[in-house]
Amino acid sequence: MANSQYEYVKREFEFDRRLPPSNWIVVRIDGCHFHRFSKTHAFEKPNDENALRLMETCATAMLKKFPDIVFAYGASDEYSFVFREQTEFYNRRESKILSLCVSYFTSVYVMKWKKIFPNKELKEPPYFDARAVCYPNLKTIRDYLAWRQVDCHINNQYNTCFWMLVKSGKSEQEAQLSLKGTSSKDKNELLAQQFQMNYDDELAMFRKGSSVYREKEGKVVKNDYGDPIKRTRPILTVAHVDIIGFSFDKPNDAVALS
Ligand code: ATP
Ligand code: ATP
Ligand code: MG
Ligand code: MG
Ligand code: MG
């Protein structure tokens, strides 16, 4: 089609936004209407462990597929994918990066559904939205991840209280009212006093969210002369830990706890 009379429609109307160089690129995806999707598929409340495992499986597949993603963090129906700051993936074209990430993630979600939920039919097509945000330095990318993890904590603590109240007989409206204006400390006390529950005993996966990254695994092998040498290879790791303090300063390399 090159140089046809119609070619102007591309030349004059198509514009590519290139994300600024030397910035960490975060692609955040979030499930569309997952409140409803989770009801339709009878997810356990407040946290369906299998649904979270499925999201982790998708995130791990993303790191396998796209080597320039150095770190992923997710909770509930969302994931953030951090591309290394010098990435030249699709020349940093925003629409390519976003559409590839969100479509690949969604395809894996659908493909792996049956393995994780063998007895649950997928009743509607899951779909996700996506945005890209650039962060110019380590401080801002760290603060971004800290923001998402704090959000995970706040939401999970609220949801844990909310569903304990609902399961104990309160209506959803009553549960919402009794939590209005409560502090984090109040919520922990409510769980301890009314339900003999220690919030810190809840699964780390629920409280901390999921981090996916490459960790260097050291292995001693023999070289051609039979001498032992140390080989390292990156292995994909999923962890439920505090991510404040993670190190991102080794491009395309292992991201390790500092
Ligand atoms: P939007 O389309 O605007 O994102 P949404 O319904 O997806 O709307 P979110 O704010 O993204 O709303 O919240 C996601 C919802 O999905 C949560 O409220 C929760 O009810 C549900 N959800 C997601 N993952 C799980 C899970 N693992 N277990 C139980 N519920 C979940
Ligand atoms: P890129 O990732 O750059 O898009 P591509 O391999 O997808 O690369 P396209 O220019 O998008 O290349 O072309 C799509 C290719 O997919 C075609 O060359 C053709 O070989 C194949 N293809 C797509 N649909 C069909 C189809 N219905 N029947 C046979 N081949 C098809
Ligand atoms: Mg959502
Ligand atoms: Mg969400
Ligand atoms: Mg193509």
Side-chain angles (χ1 to χ4, degrees):
M1 287 281 272
N3 299 322
S4 79
Q5 62 176 307
Y6 305 117
E7 201 245 353
Y8 80 97
V9 294
K10 180 173 175 65
R11 195 179 57 239
E12 292 180 24
F13 291 88
E14 253 192 55
F15 300 105
D16 264 332
R17 180 168 121 92
R18 281 177 201 238
L19 296 168
S22 299
N23 275 252
W24 302 89
I25 299 170
V26 172
V27 173
R28 183 168 75 251
I29 65 167
D30 184 283
C32 293
H33 304 300
F34 259 52
H35 187 69
R36 188 189 64 214
F37 185 88
S38 66
K39 272 193 185 161
T40 308
H41 296 92
F43 283 6
E44 271 173 39
K45 292 292 178 177
N47 289 292
D48 189 293
E49 203 179 327
N50 284 325
L52 293 172
R53 296 252 176 251
L54 179 54
M55 294 288 285
E56 283 181 350
T57 302
C58 297
T60 307
M62 291 283 287
L63 268 84
K64 263 190 208 152
K65 182 78 184 165
F66 306 119
D68 280 3
I69 298 176
V70 291
F71 190 81
Y73 175 74
S76 181
D77 66 340
E78 74 164 62
Y79 255 93
S80 298
F81 296 98
V82 181
F83 282 78
R84 64 187 181 89
E85 57 186 336
Q86 301 302 343
T87 183
E88 281 304 327
F89 189 52
Y90 279 88
N91 291 321
R92 301 176 80 95
R93 285 161 70 190
E94 182 179 34
S95 60
K96 283 277 185 188
I97 295 174
L98 279 181
S99 57
L100 288 165
C101 282
V102 75
S103 68
Y104 193 73
F105 189 98
T106 309
S107 292
V108 178
Y109 194 97
V110 173
M111 277 189 76
K112 297 289 180 185
W113 176 273
K114 204 153 189 64
K115 193 169 178 220
I116 293 191
F117 292 114
N119 303 315
K120 259 185 210 183
E121 186 202 348
L122 186 55
K123 291 183 182 153
E124 56 174 293
Y127 62 122
F128 293 81
D129 65 31
R131 75 198 67 192
V133 185
C134 290
Y135 291 98
N137 50 43
L138 267 176
K139 177 177 164 25
T140 49
I141 188 74
R142 285 221 182 91
D143 286 352
Y144 169 80
L145 291 166
W147 170 56
R148 294 324 302 143
Q149 193 166 45
V150 167
D151 203 62
C152 166
H153 165 72
I154 292 168
N155 288 335
N156 188 61
Q157 199 188 29
Y158 180 92
N159 290 338
T160 305
C161 294
F162 178 86
W163 286 102
M164 285 309 290
L165 290 167
V166 170
K167 286 174 186 172
S168 74
K170 276 197 156 77
S171 72
E172 295 199 2
Q173 206 183 2
E174 287 165 345
Q176 206 180 344
L177 265 177
S178 33
L179 290 172
K180 210 174 165 192
T182 55
S183 67
S184 171
K185 194 164 157 256
D186 297 336
K187 291 191 190 74
N188 274 348
E189 276 167 15
L190 180 147
L191 290 174
Q193 282 160 16
Q194 290 193 39
F195 305 108
Q196 293 72 53
M197 239 177 104
N198 182 353
Y199 180 72
D200 290 340
D201 292 341
E202 289 292 288
L203 281 186
M205 182 203 230
F206 302 163
R207 290 180 294 112
K208 310 265 186 205
S210 305
S211 302
V212 187
Y213 51 94
R214 295 179 192 84
E215 204 165 35
K216 267 189 175 170
E217 184 192 53
K219 203 176 159 189
V220 178
V221 294
K222 293 210 166 133
N223 68 10
D224 292 347
Y225 308 101
D227 306 320
I229 50 162
K230 200 173 169 193
R231 278 263 163 77
T232 54
R233 60 178 185 134
I235 49 163
L236 282 171
T237 307
V238 180
H240 309 115
V241 293
D242 282 321
I243 51 177
I244 296 161
F246 257 87
S247 147
F248 295 93
D249 44 4
K250 297 172 199 139
N252 211 13
D253 200 357
V255 175
L257 278 170
S258 55

